[in-house]
């Protein structure tokens, strides 16, 4: 055995103790960790691999020297970019154990381990949290992109069968019609990856000014123009800029009249279902064929974690799409359940474990509190902006996203400079956006650590900084 490897095995407890202490130091000071950095860390092309290796402790020292100082507090309370959650303490426990156990999540029966059973149970817990019926089947993937991909790939196969084709085997032989109003970029990316075509999308009008939700009258008009052809409808439970929701009850009514696959992209917004205050926003979504929901957003578990939900009645189309058909050692996919026949990845770690830990640890009331606190903090910032002469909202703050800009069209050219300046303080991180033709800034609240004091601090930074640009 390599001498460094043998040494690390013999001193494993010391190595893990070093990592534990460093991890606690990072987490205990997370509130003060810079949220961005301007360090241009380029890789030296002359770097080569040490022939004999360094061993664990020396490698940790090297990491701390070269990279650790530049890692940002993306899991902290004032990182408001990209709808990024943090990791709850219980989720961190689960993630560490997932690494230690190093399981390959595949089958719930036979000679495999219990990791797939943990995943199935976690899906049941999520259905309970979200108030969704047992008619859905789900699994864990890396993020919203793969979740959307899994759902839309199954939708592609369903469309094919409606047309008398097997697209999974034969490939696309004719166009697939896709309708949506304000789809996330990941859904459009999936259309490209699936061969449907990222430009093969009919854009539906939105309801009115300052709305991103589907106009149902325009949707029905476009449906009628298809003359009965099956199609895919992509809807939103929380749009990127303004956290707007499509009218799911109205769309459920349309499903009684027309033939289509209904997909709900609820990457972060789906979690409003666990709050009595906001669950009305997703009323009717249980009638959809598939849903995409991220966990590393509002569930506050580590990256990479998302799950998909697809109606059980579509499992044949799902297996036809993802089965390993040339692997007889895996058995009949419909008789011997194996996750690798139901989603894109064959090899998967125990990705469900952090979610299982966090759900069990904090329950429905814990997540209800996280959701409602996030919305309260967004409304706090929104109120500050409305009371200010320096800033203006680009759209109403409906939920947890605040979309705003500098007051006055003459200041549009200053928006990017202002955003760079507040991000460079290292106290907050927000992202740029464009809304209805105007340069803006988006602050997204999903982190369980964020308090009213954080919002107060950031708004003070905003009001001070705007005077300097």
């Amino acid at each position: 055995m390599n001498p460094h490897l043998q040494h690390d095995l013999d001193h494993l407890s010391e190595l893990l103790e070093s990592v534990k202490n460093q991890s606690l130091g990072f987490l205990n000071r997370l509130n003060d960790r810079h949220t961005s950095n301007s360090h241009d860390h380029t890789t030296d092309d002359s770097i080569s691999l040490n022939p004999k290796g360094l061993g664990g402790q020396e490698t940790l020292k090297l990491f701390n020297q070269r990279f650790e100082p530049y890692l940002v507090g993306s899991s902290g309370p004032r990182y408001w970019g990209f709808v990024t959650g943090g990791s709850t303490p219980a989720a961190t426990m689960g993630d560490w154990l997932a690494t230690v156990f190093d399981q390959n999540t595949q089958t719930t029966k036979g000679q495999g381990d219990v990791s797939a059973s943990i995943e199935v149970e976690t899906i049941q817990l999520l259905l309970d949290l979200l108030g969704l019926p047992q008619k859905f089947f789900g699994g864990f993937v890396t993020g919203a992109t793969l979740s959307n991909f899994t759902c839309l790939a199954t939708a592609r196969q369903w469309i094919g069968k409606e047309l008398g084709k097997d697209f999974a085997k034969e490939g696309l032989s004719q166009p697939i019609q896709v309708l949506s109003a304000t789809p996330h970029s990941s859904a459009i990316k999936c259309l490209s990856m699936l061969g449907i075509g990222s430009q093969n999308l009919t854009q539906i009008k939105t309801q009115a000014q300052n709305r991103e939700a589907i106009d149902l009258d325009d949707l029905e008009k476009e449906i009628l123009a298809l003359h009965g052809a099956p199609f895919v409808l992509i809807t939103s439970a929380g749009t990127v800029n303004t956290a707007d929701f499509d009218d799911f009850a109205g769309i459920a009514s349309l499903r009684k009249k027309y033939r289509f696959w209904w997909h709900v992209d609820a990457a972060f917004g789906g979690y409003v279902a666990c709050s009595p205050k906001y669950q009305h926003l997703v009323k009717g979504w249980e009638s959809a064929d598939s849903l995409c929901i991220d966990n590393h957003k509002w569930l506050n578990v580590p990256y990479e974690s998302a799950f998909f939900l697809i109606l059980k009645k579509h499992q044949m189309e799902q297996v036809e799409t993802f089965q390993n058909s040339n692997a007889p050692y895996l058995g009949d996919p419909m008789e011997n359940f194996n996750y690798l026949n139901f989603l894109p990845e064959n090899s998967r770690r125990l990705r469900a474990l952090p979610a299982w830990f966090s759900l069990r640890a904090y329950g429905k009331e814990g997540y209800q509190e996280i959701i409602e606190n996030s919305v309260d903090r967004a409304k706090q910032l929104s109120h500050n902006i409305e009371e200010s002469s320096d800033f203006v909202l680009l759209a109403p703050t409906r939920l947890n996203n605040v979309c705003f800009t500098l007051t006055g069209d003459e200041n549009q050219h200053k928006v990017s400079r202002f955003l760079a300046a507040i991000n460079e303080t290292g106290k907050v991180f927000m992202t740029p956006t464009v809304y209805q033709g105007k340069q803006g800034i988006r602050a997204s609240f999903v982190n369980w650590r964020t308090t009213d004091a954080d919002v107060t601090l950031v708004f003070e930074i905003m009001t001070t900084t705007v005077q300097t640009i």
Side-chain angles (χ1 to χ4, degrees), residues 52 82 91 97 112 154 197 211 218 236 266 309 427 438 445 455:
K52 295 184 178 180
F82 310 116
L97 289 175
T154 308
R211 291 298 304 274
D218 190 56
S236 299
L309 294 173
K427 298 295 184 181
K438 288 193 173 183
F445 294 82
V455 178

Side-chain angles (χ1 to χ4, degrees), residues 122-404:
T122 307
I123 293 294
Q124 296 303 308
L125 296 175
L126 288 164
L127 289 173
D128 186 31
L129 178 70
L130 301 174
L132 287 168
Q134 296 295 314
K135 63 182 180 180
F136 286 102
F137 164 80
F140 276 69
V141 289
T142 56
T145 303
L146 259 291
S147 181
N148 279 324
F149 180 89
T150 305
C151 295
L152 294 175
T154 308
R156 181 187 65 177
Q157 185 68 359
W158 177 84
I159 291 281
K161 295 183 80 170
E162 290 289 300
L163 299 173
K165 306 286 186 179
D166 186 341
F167 288 155
K169 289 183 178 179
E170 302 166 11
L172 284 178
S173 55
Q174 58 194 89
I176 292 178
Q177 304 297 324
V178 182
L179 279 59
S180 188
T182 317
H184 188 268
S185 61
S186 67
I188 304 301
K189 181 177 182 177
C190 290
L191 299 181
S192 176
M193 293 192 293
L194 289 166
I196 295 173
S198 60
Q199 293 184 337
N200 190 23
L201 173 74
T202 299
Q203 198 87 29
I204 307 300
K205 294 178 181 177
T206 53
Q207 290 181 13
Q209 187 178 10
N210 271 334
R211 291 298 304 274
E212 293 182 298
I214 284 177
D215 182 310
L216 294 185
D217 290 335
D218 190 56
L219 173 61
E220 188 160 19
K221 174 186 172 184
E222 294 293 345
I223 292 173
L224 290 171
L226 294 176
H227 302 293
F231 65 94
V232 176
L233 176 66
I234 301 175
T235 59
S236 299
T239 55
V240 170
N241 276 329
T242 68
D244 208 349
F245 285 68
D246 288 322
D247 180 356
F248 298 141
I251 293 168
S253 296
L254 287 175
R255 287 208 65 194
K256 299 175 182 178
K257 299 169 59 178
Y258 305 105
R259 181 175 58 148
F260 60 91
W261 180 286
W262 178 14
H263 175 62
V264 178
D265 185 344
F268 70 89
Y271 280 108
V272 300
C274 72
S275 165
K277 289 184 179 180
Y278 304 109
Q279 60 190 197
H280 65 276
L281 294 169
V282 292
K283 182 180 180 181
W285 73 332
E286 67 278 1
S287 297
D289 292 282
S290 59
L291 296 98
C292 153
I293 305 182
D294 255 336
N295 293 322
H296 53 238
K297 290 184 170 67
W298 237 340
L299 197 69
N300 281 255
V301 303
Y303 274 100
E304 312 146 331
S305 181
F307 68 102
F308 64 85
L309 294 173
I310 297 175
L311 290 177
K312 291 178 181 178
K313 70 177 184 179
H314 295 309
Q315 285 194 344
M316 181 59 71
E317 290 89 353
Q318 201 173 347
V319 169
E320 288 171 351
T321 301
F322 296 111
Q323 68 177 318
N324 290 257
S325 57
N326 62 337
Y329 65 91
L330 297 175
D332 187 330
M334 298 306 294
E335 293 182 5
N336 304 303
F337 176 84
N338 199 315
Y339 258 120
L340 57 79
N341 289 316
F342 287 85
L343 42 71
E345 302 154 296
N346 278 5
S347 300
R348 299 184 308 132
R349 73 195 299 264
L350 216 179
R351 193 175 288 125
L353 196 57
W356 185 90
F357 262 80
S358 202
L359 287 165
R360 289 294 193 183
Y362 310 119
K364 291 183 179 181
E365 292 183 3
Y367 276 101
Q368 177 185 335
E369 182 179 301
I370 290 173
I371 300 309
E372 294 177 358
N373 176 67
S374 295
V375 178
D376 288 345
R377 302 288 69 77
K379 290 181 176 179
Q380 179 185 350
L381 178 62
S382 181
H383 176 73
N384 289 340
I385 289 170
E386 289 179 309
E387 294 293 308
S388 170
S389 60
D390 296 317
F391 309 102
V392 61
L393 293 175
L394 285 173
T397 300
R398 299 184 179 91
L399 199 65
N400 64 322
N401 282 357
V402 182
C403 190
F404 68 99

Side-chain angles (χ1 to χ4, degrees), residues 4-238:
H4 285 308
L5 186 57
Q6 182 66 61
H7 180 274
D8 287 351
L9 176 61
D10 294 340
H11 297 83
L12 183 58
S13 62
E14 297 165 36
L15 289 176
L16 295 183
E17 185 70 18
S18 296
V19 173
K20 184 197 79 170
N21 291 336
Q22 179 165 326
S23 300
L24 289 173
F26 177 87
L27 293 173
N28 289 336
R29 294 187 294 273
L30 186 57
N31 285 16
D32 300 320
R33 188 80 177 189
H34 51 251
T35 53
S36 64
N37 75 74
S38 57
H39 179 75
D40 184 14
H41 198 288
T42 55
T43 302
D44 186 350
D45 291 339
S46 66
I47 289 178
S48 60
L49 188 63
N50 187 304
K52 295 184 178 180
L54 301 174
Q57 287 287 7
E58 288 301 312
T59 299
L60 180 61
K61 290 179 182 178
L62 180 62
F63 169 80
N64 288 334
Q65 173 190 339
R66 299 198 61 231
F67 300 116
E68 198 281 340
Y70 311 109
L71 297 177
V72 300
S74 56
S75 56
R78 295 184 301 279
Y79 193 90
W80 300 345
F82 310 116
V83 200
T84 303
S87 297
T88 65
T92 301
M93 293 166 60
D95 199 57
W96 280 9
L97 289 175
T99 297
V100 170
F101 295 142
D102 197 20
Q103 304 293 296
N104 182 7
T105 305
Q106 292 186 354
T107 181
T108 59
K109 296 179 181 179
Q111 297 178 345
D113 60 79
V114 299
S115 57
S117 296
I118 294 172
E119 184 160 333
V120 169
E121 180 172 310
T122 307
I123 293 294
Q124 296 303 308
L125 296 175
L126 288 164
L127 289 173
D128 186 31
L129 178 70
L130 301 174
L132 287 168
Q134 296 295 314
K135 63 182 180 180
F136 286 102
F137 164 80
F140 276 69
V141 289
T142 56
T145 303
L146 259 291
S147 181
N148 279 324
F149 180 89
T150 305
C151 295
L152 294 175
T154 308
R156 181 187 65 177
Q157 185 68 359
W158 177 84
I159 291 281
K161 295 183 80 170
E162 290 289 300
L163 299 173
K165 306 286 186 179
D166 186 341
F167 288 155
K169 289 183 178 179
E170 302 166 11
L172 284 178
S173 55
Q174 58 194 89
I176 292 178
Q177 304 297 324
V178 182
L179 279 59
S180 188
T182 317
H184 188 268
S185 61
S186 67
I188 304 301
K189 181 177 182 177
C190 290
L191 299 181
S192 176
M193 293 192 293
L194 289 166
I196 295 173
S198 60
Q199 293 184 337
N200 190 23
L201 173 74
T202 299
Q203 198 87 29
I204 307 300
K205 294 178 181 177
T206 53
Q207 290 181 13
Q209 187 178 10
N210 271 334
R211 291 298 304 274
E212 293 182 298
I214 284 177
D215 182 310
L216 294 185
D217 290 335
D218 190 56
L219 173 61
E220 188 160 19
K221 174 186 172 184
E222 294 293 345
I223 292 173
L224 290 171
L226 294 176
H227 302 293
F231 65 94
V232 176
L233 176 66
I234 301 175
T235 59
S236 299

